Amino acid sequence: MAQLSADADGTVLTIEQAAVHAAEQVTAVAGTQTIPLAAADGRVLAQDVVAPVALPPFANAAVDGYAVRFADLAATGQSRLPLSGRVAAGADAAGVAAAGRAVRVFTGAPMPAGADTVFMQEDVALQGDAVILPAGLTRGANVRLAGEDLPRGGLALTAGQRLQPQHLALLAALGLSEVTVRRRVRVAIFSTGDELNEPGTALPPAGIYDANRNLLRALASRAGAEVVDLGILADEPESLATRLREAADCDLILTSGGVSGGEEDHVKAAVEQVGELAFWRVAIKPGRPVAMGRVAGTPFIGLPGNPVAVFVTFAFVARTVIALLSGARPARPYGLPVRLGFSYKKRAGRREYVRVSLEPGPDGIATARKHPREGAGALISLAETDGLVELADELTSIAEGTIAPFFAYEMLTG
Ligand code: AMP
Ligand code: MG
């Protein structure tokens, strides 16, 4: 294989350079829609959300116990206070004054007037009509103050947030039933290759089943896109160009295969016929050929053909582009440290992703075991592992025991 620097096919970019170029190429879709929270999981917030109510909305007990006025407690030692009144969650505390006494309260109950401290029920002894309260509690203990999590008018979420379950819960806690999000990005997906056949059909000699479209459909929809599945394209430049142009009413065209630069790799030429290529190689293995450009003004990404390379390049390149188009803040996932349970040799100047499974390590740092099948076409190796270990561009010889960043597949497919 040719050295990267001497590549005859054009510039080779690092993943970061590719991401910068991609960001320059892409503008977020403008359309927005207001939808119920129940339909908003995974959608991208179009506007900042300012809290219409405080969280919590009123001061309340954080535990089941007894509410008191701190000033009523003995300066030293335990305190004895008469017990009167009871406030449950959802009950009205108006008229239940705590001055000079302890009030029975339950988690979430509004604080009785004047009370500022709650003793946990486990710490309190009942004695007839009184409670014995231990020494040592601080003023304000076990009380959640109004607005202590988020004041009314505070910034709850910012535009560009991709809504996860916890964000939906926050919006609901603020009393909001609807949210304004960007419209979904429409992604056209093609496979290319004369050898490809639809699953469920009989396989001709020299045929294989199209794996990549199922991979990309699921990856793109998990990335928040609406998928427009445009099937399999033959290795034929004219029809490729026509079909690509027809797909340009989508927001992004995503293809796999046909970009390696071989005689039968016609995607690059087809794109140049109906648009232009901005760059088309990224220093990443598996995956190296990744084309990016425009078809009739629509962003185009040509991923490699081998399914593992498709997965990796989608995760680190296409996903960023979909996030940008969606108006989401693209967050590069943070690789968590693992210890390599293998040694490895690689070429300098490209980032390599190794398929690994994790085992618990003696010191709490997991050990990564490399899958025996390393080929870029070996889907079984993706299916049987937990994630990818990232080996930095400049590394060449990596010793067993080295700490390296690990990306769980879940982190790359959310
Ligand atoms: P290419 O980049 O088109 O030369 O393809 C590289 C390798 O990936 C070849 O072995 C192809 O048969 C294989 N390949 C391409 N597209 C797909 C696909 N959609 N599903 C499974 N394998 C594919
Ligand atoms: Mg091909």
Side-chain angles (χ1 to χ4, degrees):
M1 212 191 274
Q3 284 295 313
L4 290 181
S5 53
D7 200 303
D9 298 309
T11 321
V12 180
L13 304 177
T14 65
I15 292 175
E16 287 72 24
Q17 289 169 328
V20 169
H21 281 289
E24 287 165 4
Q25 295 284 318
V26 159
T27 352
V29 296
T32 64
Q33 35 182 171
T34 298
I35 57 172
L37 286 195
D41 186 23
R43 302 299 298 270
V44 175
L45 205 54
Q47 307 161 349
D48 291 352
V49 176
V50 168
V53 295
L55 287 181
F58 52 89
N60 67 94
V63 296
D64 289 350
Y66 299 86
V68 302
R69 219 166 57 163
F70 191 79
D72 290 337
L73 301 176
T76 54
Q78 59 187 29
S79 305
R80 185 174 196 282
L81 287 178
L83 172 62
S84 101
R86 182 179 190 281
V87 188
D92 189 353
V96 190
R101 60 165 89 131
V103 178
R104 182 75 168 119
V105 291
F106 298 88
T107 307
M111 288 295 283
D116 55 10
T117 304
V118 176
F119 282 82
M120 284 174 79
Q121 62 188 20
E122 296 86 322
D123 298 337
V124 173
L126 287 174
Q127 211 174 62
D129 286 345
V131 288
I132 309 296
L133 307 163
L137 206 62
T138 51
R139 184 193 297 269
N142 301 316
V143 176
R144 303 185 282 216
L145 296 176
E148 72 175 17
D149 296 342
L150 185 63
R152 181 159 177 252
L155 187 59
L157 294 171
T158 51
Q161 175 68 56
R162 181 131 189 254
L163 297 171
Q164 305 294 330
Q166 60 272 30
H167 305 122
L168 300 176
L170 178 59
L171 293 169
L174 291 170
L176 300 169
S177 59
E178 293 184 327
V179 62
T180 303
V181 297
R182 300 255 187 176
R183 74 165 172 84
R184 276 189 202 280
V185 170
R186 295 179 73 232
V187 178
I189 293 175
F190 290 115
S191 289
T192 73
D194 288 342
E195 73 279 31
L196 301 179
N197 294 269
E198 286 291 355
T201 63
L203 208 54
I208 60 168
Y209 290 118
D210 178 0
N212 291 347
R213 246 164 67 244
N214 273 282
L215 179 61
L216 286 175
R217 275 200 305 253
L219 287 171
S221 77
R222 283 189 182 203
E226 179 190 325
V227 170
V228 180
D229 183 356
L230 294 174
I232 300 171
L233 302 191
D235 285 318
E236 201 277 299
E238 283 314 312
S239 66
L240 273 174
T242 310
R243 298 288 299 280
L244 283 170
R245 200 189 300 106
E246 285 167 5
D249 65 334
C250 288
D251 302 303
L252 174 67
I253 302 171
L254 206 51
T255 66
S256 68
V259 288
S260 297
E263 267 172 54
E264 287 297 326
D265 293 321
H266 301 298
V267 172
K268 179 176 170 261
V271 172
E272 277 168 342
Q273 246 185 70
V274 288
E276 70 271 342
L277 280 188
F279 66 81
W280 74 288
R281 286 185 180 262
V282 179
I284 169 173
K285 187 190 173 189
R288 199 162 60 108
V290 178
M292 172 138 194
R294 281 182 183 282
V295 169
T298 299
F300 158 85
I301 303 176
L303 300 177
N306 279 306
V308 180
V310 171
F311 184 91
V312 171
T313 52
F314 183 93
F316 291 101
V317 181
R319 204 163 153 264
T320 313
V321 173
I322 292 177
L324 290 165
L325 280 167
S326 312
R329 272 171 290 166
R332 180 168 154 75
Y334 179 80
L336 298 171
V338 297
R339 181 168 287 119
L340 302 186
F342 57 92
S343 61
Y344 198 81
K345 293 215 182 312
K346 68 181 270 298
R347 197 185 296 171
R350 72 180 177 206
R351 199 154 318 165
E352 290 205 18
Y353 291 96
V354 182
R355 286 146 266 171
V356 300
S357 299
L358 296 188
E359 284 171 14
D363 55 359
I365 304 228
T367 300
R369 303 268 172 229
K370 186 166 72 64
H371 195 277
R373 306 286 311 143
E374 288 180 40
L379 267 174
I380 188 73
S381 65
L382 265 190
E384 287 181 346
T385 48
D386 299 324
L388 301 171
V389 152
E390 182 178 68
L391 301 176
D393 300 26
E394 68 280 3
L395 297 178
T396 50
S397 182
I398 300 115
E400 188 173 338
T402 301
I403 303 288
F406 167 80
F407 299 90
Y409 291 137
E410 288 76 11
M411 296 168 75
L412 302 174
T413 59

mmCIF file of all heavy atoms in Angstrom, residues 191-193 195-196 208-213 235 256-260 265 303-307, ligand 1:
data_model
loop_
_atom_site.group_PDB
_atom_site.id
_atom_site.type_symbol
_atom_site.label_atom_id
_atom_site.label_comp_id
_atom_site.label_asym_id
_atom_site.label_seq_id
_atom_site.Cartn_x
_atom_site.Cartn_y
_atom_site.Cartn_z
ATOM 1 N N SER A 191 -26.452 1.874 -1.387
ATOM 2 C CA SER A 191 -25.275 0.993 -1.461
ATOM 3 C C SER A 191 -24.839 0.967 -2.912
ATOM 4 O O SER A 191 -25.669 1.140 -3.807
ATOM 5 C CB SER A 191 -25.627 -0.426 -1.029
ATOM 6 O OG SER A 191 -25.864 -0.464 0.354
ATOM 7 N N THR A 192 -23.567 0.748 -3.146
ATOM 8 C CA THR A 192 -23.111 0.614 -4.526
ATOM 9 C C THR A 192 -22.324 -0.672 -4.690
ATOM 10 O O THR A 192 -21.541 -1.036 -3.819
ATOM 11 C CB THR A 192 -22.210 1.786 -4.971
ATOM 12 O OG1 THR A 192 -20.930 1.659 -4.332
ATOM 13 C CG2 THR A 192 -22.809 3.132 -4.618
ATOM 14 N N GLY A 193 -22.540 -1.345 -5.795
ATOM 15 C CA GLY A 193 -21.759 -2.545 -6.110
ATOM 16 C C GLY A 193 -22.589 -3.569 -6.862
ATOM 17 O O GLY A 193 -23.702 -3.897 -6.451
ATOM 18 N N GLU A 195 -22.073 -6.603 -7.027
ATOM 19 C CA GLU A 195 -22.125 -7.887 -6.304
ATOM 20 C C GLU A 195 -23.241 -7.925 -5.264
ATOM 21 O O GLU A 195 -23.503 -8.964 -4.668
ATOM 22 C CB GLU A 195 -20.762 -8.151 -5.630
ATOM 23 C CG GLU A 195 -20.424 -7.298 -4.400
ATOM 24 C CD GLU A 195 -19.886 -5.892 -4.705
ATOM 25 O OE1 GLU A 195 -20.268 -5.320 -5.739
ATOM 26 O OE2 GLU A 195 -19.109 -5.373 -3.892
ATOM 27 N N LEU A 196 -23.899 -6.790 -5.030
ATOM 28 C CA LEU A 196 -24.817 -6.702 -3.882
ATOM 29 C C LEU A 196 -26.223 -7.194 -4.201
ATOM 30 O O LEU A 196 -26.758 -6.932 -5.278
ATOM 31 C CB LEU A 196 -24.890 -5.264 -3.384
ATOM 32 C CG LEU A 196 -23.557 -4.672 -2.931
ATOM 33 C CD1 LEU A 196 -23.757 -3.236 -2.472
ATOM 34 C CD2 LEU A 196 -22.924 -5.519 -1.829
ATOM 35 N N ILE A 208 -23.018 -11.180 -2.928
ATOM 36 C CA ILE A 208 -23.080 -11.114 -1.460
ATOM 37 C C ILE A 208 -24.320 -10.280 -1.109
ATOM 38 O O ILE A 208 -24.839 -9.545 -1.948
ATOM 39 C CB ILE A 208 -21.819 -10.479 -0.807
ATOM 40 C CG1 ILE A 208 -21.617 -9.041 -1.286
ATOM 41 C CG2 ILE A 208 -20.572 -11.312 -1.070
ATOM 42 C CD1 ILE A 208 -20.586 -8.267 -0.466
ATOM 43 N N TYR A 209 -24.765 -10.421 0.130
ATOM 44 C CA TYR A 209 -25.905 -9.627 0.565
ATOM 45 C C TYR A 209 -25.446 -8.241 0.998
ATOM 46 O O TYR A 209 -24.349 -8.066 1.523
ATOM 47 C CB TYR A 209 -26.631 -10.327 1.710
ATOM 48 C CG TYR A 209 -27.351 -11.577 1.260
ATOM 49 C CD1 TYR A 209 -26.991 -12.828 1.778
ATOM 50 C CD2 TYR A 209 -28.370 -11.509 0.313
ATOM 51 C CE1 TYR A 209 -27.650 -13.983 1.358
ATOM 52 C CE2 TYR A 209 -29.023 -12.659 -0.113
ATOM 53 C CZ TYR A 209 -28.657 -13.884 0.421
ATOM 54 O OH TYR A 209 -29.304 -15.019 -0.009
ATOM 55 N N ASP A 210 -26.311 -7.277 0.759
ATOM 56 C CA ASP A 210 -26.036 -5.878 1.123
ATOM 57 C C ASP A 210 -26.175 -5.726 2.633
ATOM 58 O O ASP A 210 -27.285 -5.713 3.162
ATOM 59 C CB ASP A 210 -27.034 -4.972 0.393
ATOM 60 C CG ASP A 210 -26.865 -3.505 0.752
ATOM 61 O OD1 ASP A 210 -25.979 -3.181 1.576
ATOM 62 O OD2 ASP A 210 -27.613 -2.680 0.196
ATOM 63 N N ALA A 211 -25.066 -5.612 3.326
ATOM 64 C CA ALA A 211 -25.086 -5.413 4.782
ATOM 65 C C ALA A 211 -25.122 -3.928 5.132
ATOM 66 O O ALA A 211 -25.721 -3.519 6.125
ATOM 67 C CB ALA A 211 -23.853 -6.065 5.413
ATOM 68 N N ASN A 212 -24.497 -3.124 4.297
ATOM 69 C CA ASN A 212 -24.266 -1.725 4.694
ATOM 70 C C ASN A 212 -25.532 -0.892 4.805
ATOM 71 O O ASN A 212 -25.608 0.025 5.626
ATOM 72 C CB ASN A 212 -23.331 -1.034 3.694
ATOM 73 C CG ASN A 212 -21.922 -1.591 3.777
ATOM 74 O OD1 ASN A 212 -21.601 -2.309 4.729
ATOM 75 N ND2 ASN A 212 -21.103 -1.285 2.785
ATOM 76 N N ARG A 213 -26.528 -1.197 3.965
ATOM 77 C CA ARG A 213 -27.732 -0.361 4.040
ATOM 78 C C ARG A 213 -28.454 -0.560 5.367
ATOM 79 O O ARG A 213 -28.979 0.374 5.942
ATOM 80 C CB ARG A 213 -28.636 -0.624 2.857
ATOM 81 C CG ARG A 213 -28.720 0.614 1.960
ATOM 82 C CD ARG A 213 -29.269 0.298 0.610
ATOM 83 N NE ARG A 213 -30.644 -0.096 0.640
ATOM 84 C CZ ARG A 213 -31.101 -1.300 0.280
ATOM 85 N NH1 ARG A 213 -30.259 -2.244 -0.108
ATOM 86 N NH2 ARG A 213 -32.370 -1.555 0.303
ATOM 87 N N ASP A 235 -22.527 -0.606 -10.414
ATOM 88 C CA ASP A 235 -21.238 0.046 -10.688
ATOM 89 C C ASP A 235 -21.251 0.566 -12.117
ATOM 90 O O ASP A 235 -20.604 0.019 -13.010
ATOM 91 C CB ASP A 235 -20.097 -0.959 -10.497
ATOM 92 C CG ASP A 235 -19.830 -1.238 -9.027
ATOM 93 O OD1 ASP A 235 -19.840 -0.279 -8.234
ATOM 94 O OD2 ASP A 235 -19.626 -2.406 -8.675
ATOM 95 N N SER A 256 -22.217 3.940 0.324
ATOM 96 C CA SER A 256 -21.085 3.107 0.722
ATOM 97 C C SER A 256 -20.577 2.371 -0.496
ATOM 98 O O SER A 256 -21.328 2.013 -1.390
ATOM 99 C CB SER A 256 -21.470 2.130 1.828
ATOM 100 O OG SER A 256 -22.371 1.154 1.348
ATOM 101 N N GLY A 257 -19.253 2.174 -0.514
ATOM 102 C CA GLY A 257 -18.602 1.455 -1.612
ATOM 103 C C GLY A 257 -18.250 2.378 -2.764
ATOM 104 O O GLY A 257 -18.749 3.505 -2.873
ATOM 105 N N GLY A 258 -17.336 1.879 -3.594
ATOM 106 C CA GLY A 258 -17.042 2.569 -4.845
ATOM 107 C C GLY A 258 -16.231 3.844 -4.745
ATOM 108 O O GLY A 258 -16.187 4.623 -5.694
ATOM 109 N N VAL A 259 -15.563 4.060 -3.607
ATOM 110 C CA VAL A 259 -14.764 5.295 -3.499
ATOM 111 C C VAL A 259 -13.264 5.045 -3.333
ATOM 112 O O VAL A 259 -12.505 5.968 -3.094
ATOM 113 C CB VAL A 259 -15.238 6.218 -2.329
ATOM 114 C CG1 VAL A 259 -16.560 6.860 -2.658
ATOM 115 C CG2 VAL A 259 -15.284 5.482 -1.008
ATOM 116 N N SER A 260 -12.846 3.778 -3.497
ATOM 117 C CA SER A 260 -11.432 3.469 -3.232
ATOM 118 C C SER A 260 -10.487 3.999 -4.297
ATOM 119 O O SER A 260 -9.298 4.156 -4.046
ATOM 120 C CB SER A 260 -11.236 1.957 -3.120
ATOM 121 O OG SER A 260 -11.968 1.475 -2.046
ATOM 122 N N ASP A 265 -14.456 1.676 -9.205
ATOM 123 C CA ASP A 265 -14.982 2.560 -8.164
ATOM 124 C C ASP A 265 -15.444 3.864 -8.806
ATOM 125 O O ASP A 265 -14.666 4.787 -9.007
ATOM 126 C CB ASP A 265 -13.916 2.811 -7.088
ATOM 127 C CG ASP A 265 -13.613 1.534 -6.324
ATOM 128 O OD1 ASP A 265 -14.566 0.779 -6.047
ATOM 129 O OD2 ASP A 265 -12.438 1.283 -6.026
ATOM 130 N N LEU A 303 -18.889 6.733 1.919
ATOM 131 C CA LEU A 303 -18.150 5.890 2.865
ATOM 132 C C LEU A 303 -17.536 4.717 2.104
ATOM 133 O O LEU A 303 -17.947 4.402 0.989
ATOM 134 C CB LEU A 303 -19.110 5.394 3.955
ATOM 135 C CG LEU A 303 -19.802 6.487 4.781
ATOM 136 C CD1 LEU A 303 -20.790 5.863 5.770
ATOM 137 C CD2 LEU A 303 -18.776 7.332 5.516
ATOM 138 N N PRO A 304 -16.569 4.047 2.729
ATOM 139 C CA PRO A 304 -15.964 2.890 2.065
ATOM 140 C C PRO A 304 -16.981 1.756 1.909
ATOM 141 O O PRO A 304 -18.136 1.884 2.330
ATOM 142 C CB PRO A 304 -14.841 2.481 3.020
ATOM 143 C CG PRO A 304 -14.845 3.429 4.144
ATOM 144 C CD PRO A 304 -16.020 4.321 4.039
ATOM 145 N N GLY A 305 -16.549 0.647 1.310
ATOM 146 C CA GLY A 305 -17.464 -0.477 1.084
ATOM 147 C C GLY A 305 -17.462 -1.488 2.213
ATOM 148 O O GLY A 305 -18.506 -2.050 2.571
ATOM 149 N N ASN A 306 -16.287 -1.734 2.768
ATOM 150 C CA ASN A 306 -16.218 -2.772 3.789
ATOM 151 C C ASN A 306 -17.030 -2.372 5.018
ATOM 152 O O ASN A 306 -16.866 -1.272 5.553
ATOM 153 C CB ASN A 306 -14.758 -3.007 4.198
ATOM 154 C CG ASN A 306 -14.056 -3.904 3.196
ATOM 155 O OD1 ASN A 306 -14.520 -5.001 2.903
ATOM 156 N ND2 ASN A 306 -12.936 -3.422 2.657
ATOM 157 N N PRO A 307 -17.899 -3.277 5.485
ATOM 158 C CA PRO A 307 -18.839 -2.906 6.556
ATOM 159 C C PRO A 307 -18.191 -2.371 7.838
ATOM 160 O O PRO A 307 -18.729 -1.444 8.439
ATOM 161 C CB PRO A 307 -19.593 -4.224 6.824
ATOM 162 C CG PRO A 307 -19.544 -4.948 5.514
ATOM 163 C CD PRO A 307 -18.211 -4.600 4.911
HETATM 164 P P1 AMP B 1 -15.568 -1.175 -2.635
HETATM 165 O O1 AMP B 1 -15.142 -0.025 -1.811
HETATM 166 O O2 AMP B 1 -16.799 -0.882 -3.432
HETATM 167 O O3 AMP B 1 -14.458 -1.700 -3.464
HETATM 168 O O4 AMP B 1 -15.976 -2.335 -1.625
HETATM 169 C C1 AMP B 1 -15.037 -2.882 -0.741
HETATM 170 C C2 AMP B 1 -15.550 -4.206 -0.214
HETATM 171 O O5 AMP B 1 -16.748 -3.988 0.515
HETATM 172 C C3 AMP B 1 -15.899 -5.214 -1.272
HETATM 173 O O6 AMP B 1 -15.512 -6.503 -0.824
HETATM 174 C C4 AMP B 1 -17.386 -5.113 -1.377
HETATM 175 O O7 AMP B 1 -17.997 -6.311 -1.845
HETATM 176 C C5 AMP B 1 -17.775 -4.836 0.046
HETATM 177 N N1 AMP B 1 -19.039 -4.151 0.100
HETATM 178 C C6 AMP B 1 -19.351 -3.008 -0.565
HETATM 179 N N2 AMP B 1 -20.603 -2.631 -0.307
HETATM 180 C C7 AMP B 1 -21.111 -3.542 0.549
HETATM 181 C C8 AMP B 1 -22.379 -3.708 1.177
HETATM 182 N N3 AMP B 1 -23.364 -2.830 0.955
HETATM 183 N N4 AMP B 1 -22.569 -4.757 2.007
HETATM 184 C C9 AMP B 1 -21.553 -5.634 2.219
HETATM 185 N N5 AMP B 1 -20.343 -5.534 1.664
HETATM 186 C C10 AMP B 1 -20.114 -4.506 0.819
#
